[in-house]
Amino acid sequence: MSLFSNIAPVRFEGPESSSEYAFRVYDKDRKVLGKPMQEWLRCAVCYWHSFNWPGQDIFGAGTLPRPWLGATITQAMAEEKLEAAFDFLSRLGVPYFTFHDIDAMATATTLKEHDRNLKAIEERMQQRMAATGMKLLWGTANLFSHPRYAGGGPTSADPQVFAWAAAQVRACLEATHRLGGENYVLWGGREGYDSLLNTDLKRELDHYGRFLSLVVEHKHRIGFKGTILVEPKPFEPTKHQYDRDVAAVYAFLQRYGLAQDVRVNIEVNHATLAGLDFEHEVAAALAYGIFGSIDINRGDPRNGWDTDQFPNNAQELVPAFLSLIENGGFSTGGFNFDAKLRRQSVDPLDLYVAHIGGIDTLARALLAAADVVTERKLARLKAERYQGWNGELGQRIESGALDLAGIADLATAGDFQPVSRSGHQELAESLVARHCRH
Ligand code: XLS
Ligand code: NI
Ligand code: NI
């Protein structure tokens, strides 16, 4: 029994259901374009917002009933939290979860204690995973909450802090590996700066590059087959975060020779905060070959911070789903709900309602995108738009057969007069909107 026991396992009941504790659209075994919904979505619940956050904000104390939390977490409290988390996960019926090292374990003040406490909770976790069939989408080390990380972890001005970060990541990467985690995430929350006046940007970037190379090396050394993911975010808590968006991460990975080994975990609201569309980040990551996974929490259109809300607008997500479908889905990634309740949502059942609504939203977006793909009109519109490139001129340019002068001479000699053609944007938008009815 736990705080989350007061509910029968959540089932698919279809659009006519009158229950708030049932899926209306998400039917895990339903095949969409040949693949079960569950495999398209690979949903995960995050440990930190759901079980490790009592609802405090910068103006006030915690509001949510989370009896296993306190200023210092003992092993008994960590275990109570674990029981509650797995009770929730198995009743909700998603396949995956995600965690930070310190979300799950008892509080530690030294590295020896850290390793011991993490190991102790890992063993419990392993048992609960075996008993429930729950899988780990990714693990990650928290290198931003403790005061030692005020100036960053790998990019700290103090090499001892770099070393602490290395120790935490080694322990968490190895734990993730033993738990069968499919990815390992690094979110560089404080890897950036608040003022350039006291910051050696070049040196910090070099340290960050070094750190990431060490992580990749270690991954190979221990035989971890999962994917190493960096999660871009433009700012908050820092004024400027080095991995501000997918393009910045790609440049960084290229610079330090890591583009083959590291991919991105894209968060919807981090894209918004960077002034970009979520679908842009997904498309860019796919184009650069570094697409990994998604944190599906959204922001609030009028707030300039990470409100971490559950998604509830399927139509907004369809463009990104079109890219995901074109990619054949995720490989090791999935949709992680890095989302939290509002502070007044003190009913333990609110956490179910939030996730059920979010998962149904993803299922709706998937079905709408699948309809768009099946209809083929949008694909045709796009193909026709680029048709010229399949002709002789386009092919000679694309293949590299012509140099700049060669192209210029052809254009001049042929007296090219390109004809305006419609981009059909309104039609493209309608082709998506008309399928958003699931
Ligand atoms: C914070 C990030 C964080 C990462 C994991 O904004 O989204 O929650 O996903 O460290
Ligand atoms: Ni996130
Ligand atoms: Ni975030």
Side-chain angles (χ1 to χ4, degrees):
M1 288 299 278
S2 86
L3 191 69
F4 300 116
S5 300
N6 192 18
I7 186 176
V10 180
R11 304 256 175 257
F12 169 71
E13 288 184 10
E16 306 310 324
S17 170
S18 58
S19 166
E20 300 313 330
Y21 309 108
F23 294 114
R24 286 172 166 66
V25 191
Y26 178 71
D27 179 3
K28 65 184 174 61
D29 299 319
R30 173 172 171 188
K31 289 244 170 97
V32 180
L33 300 174
K35 191 151 82 165
M37 272 191 172
Q38 176 163 271
E39 280 173 40
W40 278 114
L41 302 182
R42 296 167 58 84
C43 288
V45 170
C46 88
Y47 215 91
W48 52 102
H49 292 316
S50 296
F51 313 112
N52 203 47
W53 176 67
Q56 86 281 8
D57 69 9
I58 51 172
F59 295 100
T63 52
L64 309 178
R66 298 288 183 267
W68 46 82
L69 295 181
T72 302
I73 310 286
T74 61
Q75 178 65 19
M77 289 154 90
E79 286 175 17
E80 191 188 339
K81 191 196 302 179
L82 186 85
E83 292 307 317
F86 275 81
D87 194 13
F88 177 83
L89 288 164
S90 46
R91 283 169 203 271
L92 180 64
V94 291
Y96 291 102
F97 72 104
T98 56
F99 77 104
H100 293 101
D101 48 4
I102 64 168
D103 304 331
M105 57 185 254
T107 310
T109 50
T110 65
L111 277 170
K112 277 198 184 108
E113 206 184 354
H114 179 95
D115 288 352
R116 213 169 37 239
N117 293 356
L118 182 59
K119 191 91 202 18
I121 205 70
E122 177 201 323
E123 277 160 17
R124 287 295 186 132
M125 211 176 247
Q126 190 104 54
Q127 291 165 9
R128 297 310 294 141
M129 288 170 72
T132 58
M134 211 57 63
K135 295 178 287 185
L136 177 60
L137 187 64
W138 47 265
T140 183
N142 177 320
L143 308 178
F144 46 87
S145 293
H146 192 278
R148 85 175 67 84
Y149 293 121
T155 64
S156 169
D158 180 349
Q160 287 209 2
V161 176
F162 183 107
W164 247 93
Q168 256 187 268
V169 170
R170 176 184 66 173
C172 193
L173 180 60
E174 291 182 358
T176 301
H177 178 40
R178 286 188 295 265
L179 291 167
E182 301 192 23
N183 307 268
Y184 182 84
V185 165
L186 294 114
W187 169 58
R190 294 193 195 271
E191 316 312 332
Y193 59 80
D194 294 319
S195 169
L196 264 184
L197 293 176
N198 65 359
T199 303
D200 188 337
L201 184 141
K202 164 81 167 63
R203 203 164 187 184
E204 291 200 1
L205 282 175
D206 285 350
H207 294 164
Y208 204 12
R210 181 86 197 109
F211 191 85
L212 217 50
S213 305
L214 295 171
V215 174
V216 168
E217 249 171 59
H218 197 69
K219 159 196 156 150
H220 291 304
R221 186 161 308 145
I222 64 176
F224 177 59
K225 296 279 176 282
T227 313
I228 303 288
L229 301 170
V230 164
E231 183 175 324
K233 185 174 181 181
F235 49 77
E236 194 214 20
T238 53
K239 171 193 165 76
H240 177 91
Q241 192 177 310
Y242 293 132
D243 29 30
R244 76 173 305 279
D245 57 20
V246 167
V249 170
Y250 184 65
F252 173 83
L253 296 178
Q254 284 287 353
R255 170 79 178 85
Y256 295 99
L258 293 162
Q260 304 305 318
D261 290 292
V262 178
R263 294 177 170 213
V264 282
N265 180 39
I266 297 167
E267 182 162 311
V268 177
N269 192 47
H270 295 179
T272 311
L273 293 174
L276 298 166
D277 292 326
F278 166 55
E279 62 264 32
H280 167 87
E281 290 292 77
V282 173
L286 285 166
Y288 296 139
I290 56 167
F291 175 73
S293 197
I294 290 174
D295 276 5
I296 194 60
N297 44 301
R298 66 178 172 88
D300 180 294
R302 288 194 297 103
N303 286 160
W305 67 88
D306 209 359
T307 56
D308 290 325
Q309 286 171 261
F310 286 84
N312 52 18
N313 184 335
Q315 187 166 341
E316 226 167 61
L317 298 173
V318 172
F321 267 88
L322 289 171
S323 293
L324 185 69
I325 290 176
E326 198 181 323
N327 189 52
F330 290 107
S331 52
T332 58
F335 282 109
N336 174 44
F337 287 93
D338 187 358
K340 58 174 179 272
L341 295 169
R342 298 308 92 185
R343 290 178 79 234
Q344 295 179 66
S345 303
V346 298
D347 184 337
L349 293 178
D350 288 330
L351 195 63
Y352 285 101
V353 172
H355 281 91
I356 292 167
I359 293 167
D360 265 348
T361 298
L362 296 185
R364 282 192 182 93
L366 172 67
L367 290 176
D371 284 353
V372 173
V373 169
T374 307
E375 189 187 46
R376 299 200 42 78
K377 283 189 182 172
L378 189 65
R380 264 202 304 271
L381 182 155
K382 230 183 187 175
E384 277 166 20
R385 190 152 180 255
Y386 290 88
Q387 210 179 11
W389 284 95
N390 301 333
E392 196 197 335
L393 174 67
Q395 285 305 294
R396 288 179 72 193
I397 298 174
E398 278 190 353
S399 66
L402 292 170
D403 60 10
L404 189 72
I407 298 169
D409 289 346
L410 266 183
T412 311
D415 188 21
F416 286 179
Q417 301 289 346
V419 183
S420 294
R421 285 202 183 82
S422 174
H424 297 300
Q425 181 176 329
E426 297 77 7
L427 175 58
E429 287 162 351
S430 303
L431 290 176
V432 168
R434 73 176 60 154
H435 290 296
C436 294
R437 54 182 156 67
H438 291 278

